[in-house]
Amino acid sequence: MTRLKLYSAFLFFIMSSVCFAAPQADTTRIKHHLTTITKTPKPRNYQNLDQLNQTAEYIKNVFTAYADSVSVQEYTVDGQVYKNVIASFGTENKKRVIVGAHYDVCGNQQGADDNASGVVGLLELARLLKGQKLNHRVDLVAYTLEEPPYFRTEHMGSYVHAKSLADNKAEVYGMVSLEMIGYFKEEKKSQTYPVGILSLFYGSRGNYITLVNKFGAGAFAKNFSRRFSSGSLIKSKKFTGPPALPGIDFSDHLNYWKLGYSALMLTDTSFYRNKNYHEPTDTLETLDLTKMAKVIDGVYGTLLQL
């Protein structure tokens, strides 16, 4: 290898390291967004449409401050109108990457980790992506109706969005679902698994973020997982398994898989770690905002490098 090539390779390595290592996400902003989304008069579930709409409006207003364009995708379920909110960046590019998270909750709870954490990830990504040169169009999508009773139905906001992409023959590189990205524990035995033997390979401490792939997840999922992991901003572990394994498809990425898109889930592993899952105890105070910020930084750095 010539000196010039060696220098170019070294410079690329340094530039990549700076991109991933420099702190970007702001924990003060993260806390403000989490407070606004979770500390509401009523839970943001499907039965409280006015509260869902207020949350959607808040997301839209934040997106509008940063995005190239913002749109609201409305659809009707049982006579009620529900909304996905979409922020687009790098709209001069044809092929797009979707980063999505649901803003509704299950039942009467605040849902700080599930899934205000993922939505706040979108809001911070919007701020970070403003004015950046991107190789792909990036659509940040805040979905509604991910939770029961609509989970695994065509009423899920992510199904509506994924189908609209397929119907319009949009060029989609792939999709990332941000599903619970704020809960971390250093204690031994704080992490469980669908199969107990996995603790021998992944450890018993819930101090990492997981990149969940299915077998044959496609080029985007592999590329995103590799680049995110190489950034080393936060400890991460890739898990690949069959969709039938409990939990592997428990979020919005399942609808992109269903329609043939390469997709993955970024998660703190949900109920395998966070015992506040779907409980009133899922509050802002239980989250690790510093580690959550590093997850967001990792997604941001990966999007820039794709």
Side-chain angles (χ1 to χ4, degrees):
M1 184 180 286
T2 66
R3 286 186 179 182
L4 180 60
K5 287 182 178 178
L6 280 170
Y7 176 75
S8 298
F10 176 73
L11 184 62
F12 175 78
F13 172 77
I14 293 297
M15 294 287 284
S16 300
S17 298
V18 170
C19 173
F20 271 68
Q24 299 286 342
D26 182 341
T27 54
T28 300
R29 291 175 186 269
I30 288 171
K31 185 175 182 179
H32 171 75
H33 290 317
L34 283 169
T35 300
T36 302
I37 292 172
T38 63
K39 309 294 186 181
T40 53
K42 292 183 285 187
R44 54 188 195 281
N45 61 45
Y46 77 99
Q47 294 174 309
N48 296 323
L49 185 59
D50 55 342
Q51 190 64 66
L52 276 182
N53 285 338
Q54 287 179 31
T55 303
E57 188 65 20
Y58 179 76
I59 294 167
K60 179 185 174 184
N61 289 339
V62 176
F63 279 171
T64 300
Y66 306 114
D68 295 351
S69 65
V70 177
S71 60
V72 175
Q73 184 178 44
E74 296 185 346
Y75 65 100
T76 302
V77 179
D78 297 330
Q80 304 275 17
V81 177
Y82 295 92
K83 301 174 181 179
N84 293 330
V85 187
I86 306 166
S88 299
F89 300 80
T91 51
E92 69 277 8
N93 301 305
K94 290 192 67 176
K95 187 174 287 189
R96 70 185 75 190
V97 172
I98 312 300
V99 185
H102 70 90
Y103 63 90
D104 62 315
V105 298
C106 178
N108 296 321
Q109 45 123 346
Q110 294 184 17
D113 197 26
D114 184 19
N115 187 32
S117 64
V119 174
V120 172
L122 298 183
L123 300 182
E124 270 294 86
L125 284 171
R127 182 179 67 84
L128 298 172
L129 288 169
K130 182 179 181 180
Q132 295 294 331
K133 177 65 178 175
L134 300 169
N135 295 320
H136 302 87
R137 170 172 168 161
V138 175
D139 287 349
L140 306 179
V141 189
Y143 310 112
T144 190
L145 299 191
E146 188 267 359
E147 297 286 6
Y150 298 110
F151 185 65
R152 296 196 188 283
T153 75
E154 295 185 357
H155 297 315
M156 290 177 70
S158 53
Y159 179 84
V160 172
H161 181 258
K163 188 173 187 303
S164 72
L165 295 175
D167 290 346
N168 290 302
K169 296 181 170 54
E171 292 188 43
V172 178
Y173 182 24
M175 183 269 182
V176 183
S177 173
L178 304 184
E179 177 63 47
M180 302 179 65
I181 61 170
Y183 191 87
F184 299 86
K185 286 291 181 182
E186 291 291 339
E187 293 82 5
K188 289 182 178 180
K189 298 184 180 180
S190 57
Q191 181 67 53
T192 61
Y193 300 91
V195 181
I197 196 172
L198 291 174
S199 63
L200 298 177
F201 301 95
Y202 293 93
S204 68
R205 301 177 191 267
N207 59 359
Y208 60 88
I209 197 75
T210 311
L211 299 123
V212 179
N213 290 251
K214 69 172 182 175
F215 293 129
F220 169 80
K222 291 179 182 177
N223 190 17
F224 186 97
S225 298
R226 177 174 57 83
R227 290 182 180 273
F228 183 96
S229 298
S230 67
S232 300
L233 285 169
I234 187 169
K235 183 183 291 187
S236 64
K237 299 184 181 185
K238 180 182 176 183
F239 180 83
T240 303
L245 194 66
I248 201 169
D249 69 347
F250 281 14
S251 191
D252 294 294
H253 59 299
L254 76 89
N255 289 311
Y256 296 83
W257 283 352
K258 188 180 297 183
L259 290 166
Y261 296 118
S262 181
L264 72 149
M265 174 172 59
L266 200 64
T267 180
D268 59 25
T269 75
S270 184
F271 50 85
Y272 290 115
R273 178 186 306 171
N274 189 348
K275 304 312 175 185
N276 302 307
Y277 174 76
H278 286 184
E279 296 290 340
T281 49
D282 182 10
T283 63
L284 185 162
E285 293 75 18
T286 65
L287 304 187
D288 186 325
L289 303 191
T290 300
K291 283 189 170 65
M292 182 177 158
K294 290 181 180 180
V295 174
I296 297 167
D297 287 344
V299 176
Y300 170 62
T302 304
L303 291 174
L304 293 187
Q305 290 199 13
L306 287 175

